[in-house]
Amino acid sequence: MVSKLSHLQVELLGALLESGLTKETLIKALSEVEPHGLQSESQRAINALQTEKGEPCPDIPNLHNGMGESRLSEDETSDDGEEFTPPIMKELENLSPEEAAHQKAVVERLLQEDPWRVAKMVKSYLQQHNIPQREVVDTTGLNQSHLSQHLNKGTPMKTQKRAALYTWYVRKQREVAQQFTHAGQGILTEESMGDDLPTKKGRRNRFKWGPASQQILFQAYERQKNPSKEEREALVEECNRAECIQRGVSPSQAQGLGSNLVTEVRVYNWFANRRKEEAFRHKLAMDTFSGPQPTSAPPLAPHNSSSLQPPAALSPTKVHGVRYNQQPASEAESSSSNPHGNSSMVTTQTILHQVSPPGLEPSQNLLTTDTKLVSATGGTLPPVSTLTALHSLEQSPHTLSQQTQNLIMASLPGVMAIGAGETPSLAPAFTNTGASTLVIGLASTQPQSVPVINSMGSSLTTLQPVQFSQQLHPSYQQPLMQQVQSHINQSPFMATMAQIQNSHALYGPKSEVAQYTHTGLLPQTMVITDTANLSALTNLTPTKQAFTPDSESHTESGMHTPVSQAPTIHLQNQDTTIQHLQPGPRLTSSPAVSSSSLVLYQSSDSANSHSQLLPSTHNVIETFISTQMASSTQ
Amino acid sequence: AGKAHRLSTEEREQLLPNLRAVGWNELEGRDAIFKEFHFKDFNRAFGFMTRVALQAEKLDHHPEWFNVYNKVHITLSTHECGGLSERDINLASFIEQVAASLS
């Protein structure tokens, strides 16, 4: 190109370009100014230049404030270096077709990337700038639920929709960059309207506190709960500075925060709200007997805990739950007879605990139950955050819990299914909580807790997670173990109750069977299988008696599980805590199985069951169970 | 455009030494600064002038200059205040930059 120009032309051209003229503008000017005849030539030149432009795509992900548009300035014509005059025309380029092409190129690249990675990028951008999802939804037309799931969980999104999202993302970055550079240079981008994309009818986005600001405010709150206007103003400055820094922008450009700009009024309101919150918590503490509830609120409140904060959420409930567990456990250990119910309860708790989590419908009930329970216990409804915490608790061990749940569920329905004839026998078993063998006795003997449980109606609290090592994937074991330990609390227990009632919903492929078997055994034995569960149980360490043989496991789930499963089920730590069930009217403690050991609780005919359990070599749990049922049925 | 008020003595003492160091001289009988530039050839010289011209337009402050082939004589003064002002200093700095890049 340069070769065809005279030296002077080159010089002049170089001068022009250095003065801030961009290729775009030059080309456009050429097409406008050119006399008729030369237009074809200039057009060709223009086209050539434009295509050439398409390449230098900056790293899309690194659109620092959207100003990364490279284009322009790469003019090799003049050998003089670049100059001082920064391309003033740069902003105007945004309107040019090149900008649009550039954006499209960026979007294309994003579409080819791993959607989840890009989703994480977009999500973190939203968090960084405190942009409400609503804004994205309004401008992209995407469904908010779908968008949320895509960004948070990676739910797949079709390419076209993702393109809309990425387009918004690219444009927003540019727009935000302009805001922060107070681009008062008359930028006429299609969208930017000063603060943010034209929200419907000019409605501004709702202000939201950023984490950086909140941290500052909380620290100030600790120092003084009632700051004066001067102090508030100082906080305003500090917060805005922090927010700018969080966004990677110079604090002097705080106006770019737009709707999330911190003002004295907002600070004033924030303090007022915190004072009110504290007063409320104080009131709760005064009202309730037990300590934990009120205390649970403070840590949770500030977090606005969503279900995504299990750790924090767990602590208060955990305390609660632990206490809950400990009593029965100790009792169980001490006595041999009475603890039957206790142990079962404990066990159940543990199991329940595991069960409660995840996303099964029953969990919904669980939550409700838990709530009730808590309130029942405490007398006052804990702040929402507490409830949220409970809810989150239930969400941890999902898979495993499912199984456990299923097992638990196996209760009533299972019972029916398993032993046709047993139904009647079961009934008494059910009702006969503590006394009967059913460890399930939870409902009956449980002291504290669970008034709610009783209300649940089903004495089939046998919710001991009957899990067969085979059925459960080994991978579950570990997480479950950990989870169990941490989740010991009321909720799982309640959850179990709820689950029992919703057994149908919970039936899983495998556990279903287990449930049935379990049910069948209810009157007689409780089989706890699988490492995870066992470990949980172990923690409780009630006096347990468990059968070691593999057959035991069969008992529980074997009912409906294919014969093949029977052998798989095995007690891993047979030696350890498992003790053979001892004949006796009641089973006392929950199995002290360390892991993967099946524990069979035998209510009545322990002797019977025992003998029968052991030889369950025939792997016909059904047989065994039926036998059990028969024997126990009375 | 920059300020058009005449530079005070203190300001001169502060700003002019730098320019003097690179070859700008104060004229006698006139409150202005002057410098001669030499380039390799006319093209370079005119390229230089083009750049300066574009900037001058931007700053709305124009030099008095003379050009013969590869030489350019530039005199800077501000008409509004009848002497040196900040605008002259700014343009002089710019000119220096351009000249440096072209040399």
Side-chain angles (χ1 to χ4, degrees):
Chain A
M1 250 173 75
V2 180
S3 59
K4 295 200 177 156
L5 288 169
S6 69
H7 290 298
L8 185 57
Q9 282 170 328
V10 171
E11 283 291 325
L12 298 180
L13 196 56
L16 278 177
L17 290 171
E18 280 175 27
S19 71
L21 192 66
T22 60
K23 278 185 186 175
E24 262 54 48
T25 318
L26 188 56
I27 290 171
K28 276 188 180 169
L30 283 174
S31 51
E32 286 167 12
V33 172
E34 291 244 357
H36 212 311
L38 295 174
Q39 266 183 3
S40 59
E41 263 192 37
S42 58
Q43 282 303 319
R44 271 189 282 119
I46 292 171
N47 293 339
L49 278 176
Q50 277 180 337
T51 50
E52 165 192 311
K53 229 169 295 165
E55 320 156 356
C57 271
D59 317 340
I60 283 82
N62 301 334
L63 277 176
H64 325 278
N65 296 341
M67 292 303 239
E69 353 252 72
S70 48
R71 68 169 114 144
L72 88 170
S73 79
E74 284 17 327
D75 299 288
E76 67 309 324
T77 51
S78 72
D79 26 321
D80 335 306
E82 289 305 78
E83 239 68 19
F84 14 147
T85 336
I88 304 178
M89 315 301 235
K90 195 177 185 182
E91 274 73 20
L92 296 181
E93 299 311 323
N94 290 341
L95 291 179
S96 77
E98 201 224 44
E99 175 61 14
H102 171 66
Q103 284 182 351
K104 277 182 205 151
V106 173
V107 172
E108 284 297 317
R109 244 187 72 165
L110 284 174
L111 282 171
Q112 277 150 32
E113 290 268 345
D114 171 38
W116 174 232
R117 266 192 63 222
V118 183
K120 278 194 280 195
M121 223 161 45
V122 174
K123 178 174 182 211
S124 62
Y125 182 78
L126 288 180
Q127 284 177 336
Q128 189 193 30
H129 288 265
N130 243 338
I131 300 172
Q133 271 184 3
R134 185 188 51 74
E135 182 185 314
V136 183
V137 165
D138 286 349
T139 56
T140 59
L142 297 170
N143 173 271
Q144 174 155 2
S145 166
H146 185 29
L147 174 72
S148 168
Q149 292 200 330
H150 177 68
L151 293 178
N152 296 318
K153 306 182 194 170
T155 296
M157 187 184 270
K158 293 222 172 120
T159 307
Q160 190 153 21
K161 300 203 173 128
R162 280 196 298 133
L165 174 64
Y166 300 160
T167 304
W168 172 87
Y169 176 56
V170 172
R171 288 200 191 146
K172 183 66 176 176
Q173 279 184 322
R174 179 171 46 82
E175 185 206 313
V176 170
Q178 289 160 1
Q179 288 173 29
F180 276 109
T181 52
H182 67 41
Q185 298 162 10
I187 289 150
L188 304 172
T189 52
E190 309 102 59
E191 283 130 339
S192 68
M193 225 160 59
D195 262 354
D196 44 41
L197 294 178
T199 45
K200 289 182 184 163
K201 312 199 173 159
R203 183 211 322 162
R204 290 279 177 244
N205 281 333
R206 184 186 162 92
F207 170 82
K208 176 139 172 48
W209 284 105
S213 299
Q214 285 187 318
Q215 203 175 0
I216 293 170
L217 291 175
F218 273 112
Q219 284 168 2
Y221 186 71
E222 280 174 40
R223 290 196 299 270
Q224 193 203 55
K225 301 201 190 320
N226 218 322
S228 65
K229 183 148 200 282
E230 296 76 30
E231 287 167 23
R232 289 202 300 270
E233 283 175 7
L235 287 172
V236 165
E237 290 302 310
E238 210 181 325
C239 287
N240 281 328
R241 198 178 326 125
E243 291 294 323
C244 281
I245 290 171
Q246 177 193 304
R247 291 162 172 68
V249 168
S250 149
S252 61
Q253 305 284 359
Q255 292 312 311
L257 294 172
S259 59
N260 284 323
L261 181 71
V262 179
T263 71
E264 307 87 36
V265 177
R266 303 207 203 277
V267 173
Y268 174 83
N269 287 330
W270 187 93
F271 275 88
N273 291 334
R274 292 300 146 283
R275 292 196 292 270
K276 277 188 260 178
E277 243 177 38
E278 191 172 329
F280 180 63
R281 279 187 254 124
H282 188 64
K283 170 182 175 296
L284 284 184
M286 294 297 111
D287 290 350
T288 54
F289 290 134
S290 49
Q293 279 159 8
T295 55
S296 65
L300 295 173
H303 298 298
N304 248 353
S305 58
S306 59
S307 53
L308 300 178
Q309 294 192 358
L314 281 179
S315 43
T317 42
K318 179 180 175 178
V319 171
H320 218 130
V322 170
R323 247 196 282 132
Y324 187 70
N325 284 336
Q326 287 169 357
Q327 290 180 12
S330 55
E331 291 172 19
E333 288 171 345
S334 52
S335 64
S336 58
S337 55
N338 182 28
H340 176 68
N342 289 338
S343 59
S344 59
M345 177 193 76
V346 176
T347 309
T348 308
Q349 281 185 344
T350 319
I351 297 169
L352 288 178
H353 180 65
Q354 298 167 0
V355 176
S356 54
L360 301 175
E361 290 97 345
S363 59
Q364 302 291 333
N365 299 322
L366 289 180
L367 180 57
T368 323
T369 318
D370 293 329
T371 312
K372 290 180 194 164
L373 180 58
V374 175
S375 50
T377 319
T380 43
L381 194 63
V384 178
S385 54
T386 312
L387 299 181
T388 316
L390 289 176
H391 185 56
S392 63
L393 275 178
E394 300 171 3
Q395 292 184 357
S396 20
H398 46 95
T399 50
L400 187 54
S401 59
Q402 282 184 17
Q403 300 191 357
T404 49
Q405 286 173 348
N406 290 333
L407 292 175
I408 294 175
M409 296 314 303
S411 45
L412 291 170
V415 178
M416 309 308 286
I418 294 172
E422 272 120 42
T423 312
S425 60
L426 288 177
F430 295 147
T431 51
N432 180 14
T433 54
S436 74
T437 58
L438 291 184
V439 178
I440 299 175
L442 292 170
S444 54
T445 52
Q446 298 324 312
Q448 331 174 329
S449 49
V450 202
V452 183
I453 295 179
N454 288 328
S455 67
M456 297 302 286
S458 64
S459 48
L460 291 183
T461 334
T462 340
L463 310 177
Q464 303 210 353
V466 176
Q467 295 182 355
F468 298 88
S469 52
Q470 290 303 320
Q471 291 177 344
L472 293 177
H473 300 300
S475 56
Y476 292 153
Q477 297 176 359
Q478 290 162 5
L480 184 57
M481 290 175 67
Q482 296 163 2
Q483 290 163 349
V484 171
Q485 297 177 11
S486 58
H487 295 326
I488 298 178
N489 57 39
Q490 299 169 0
S491 25
F493 187 65
M494 298 310 304
T496 313
M497 301 306 301
Q499 290 171 0
I500 294 177
Q501 293 183 348
N502 298 310
S503 55
H504 296 288
L506 292 178
Y507 288 150
K510 302 172 185 174
S511 45
E512 217 174 312
V513 178
Q515 292 179 6
Y516 285 121
T517 44
H518 188 65
T519 328
L521 294 174
L522 285 181
Q524 301 165 3
T525 59
M526 297 255 307
V527 177
I528 300 173
T529 64
D530 200 54
T531 46
N533 292 326
L534 293 178
S535 58
L537 295 176
T538 317
N539 292 335
L540 300 177
T541 56
T543 52
K544 290 193 302 186
Q545 293 177 337
F547 280 122
T548 48
D550 300 339
S551 57
E552 293 174 357
S553 56
H554 299 322
T555 330
E556 280 301 325
S557 55
M559 290 292 289
H560 295 270
T561 49
V563 176
S564 58
Q565 289 187 357
T568 57
I569 301 166
H570 60 278
L571 297 175
Q572 294 177 5
N573 298 337
Q574 302 180 0
D575 315 318
T576 51
T577 53
I578 301 176
Q579 305 168 15
H580 286 291
L581 288 178
Q582 301 185 356
R586 299 177 196 176
L587 267 192
T588 53
S589 55
S590 52
V593 180
S594 55
S595 63
S596 72
S597 53
L598 293 178
V599 177
L600 282 179
Y601 291 94
Q602 286 195 339
S603 49
S604 48
D605 311 307
S606 47
N608 258 353
S609 52
H610 185 70
S611 57
Q612 290 175 355
L613 286 173
L614 291 176
S616 59
T617 45
H618 45 270
N619 301 339
V620 182
I621 296 179
E622 298 184 1
T623 310
F624 175 69
I625 292 177
S626 54
T627 312
Q628 291 298 326
M629 297 302 289
S631 57
S632 57
T633 309
Q634 275 103 24
Chain B
K3 288 152 194 166
H5 73 271
R6 204 162 165 196
L7 290 176
S8 67
T9 318
E10 299 83 16
E11 288 164 325
R12 286 164 198 260
E13 283 176 15
Q14 183 187 354
L15 301 167
L16 288 183
N18 293 334
L19 289 174
R20 280 192 219 114
V22 277
W24 289 85
N25 297 309
E26 286 143 276
L27 289 177
E28 292 177 20
R30 194 187 168 186
D31 187 14
I33 50 176
F34 166 87
K35 183 176 176 183
E36 292 186 30
F37 293 87
H38 292 257
F39 297 92
K40 182 179 143 199
D41 54 15
F42 175 71
N43 293 337
R44 301 279 179 148
F46 206 75
F48 162 81
M49 289 173 72
T50 305
R51 287 174 175 75
V52 172
L54 289 165
Q55 181 70 359
E57 271 297 296
K58 205 184 294 179
L59 298 176
D60 190 25
H61 187 63
H62 305 84
E64 299 173 24
W65 44 5
F66 169 80
N67 161 253
V68 58
Y69 190 67
N70 66 335
K71 290 195 266 296
V72 182
H73 298 173
I74 300 181
T75 303
L76 297 176
S77 182
T78 306
H79 180 264
E80 287 89 344
C81 69
L84 282 179
S85 74
E86 199 178 321
R87 298 180 188 175
D88 299 310
I89 307 298
N90 291 343
L91 186 57
S93 306
F94 178 86
I95 289 171
E96 285 304 313
Q97 287 182 55
V98 179
S101 66
L102 280 174
S103 306

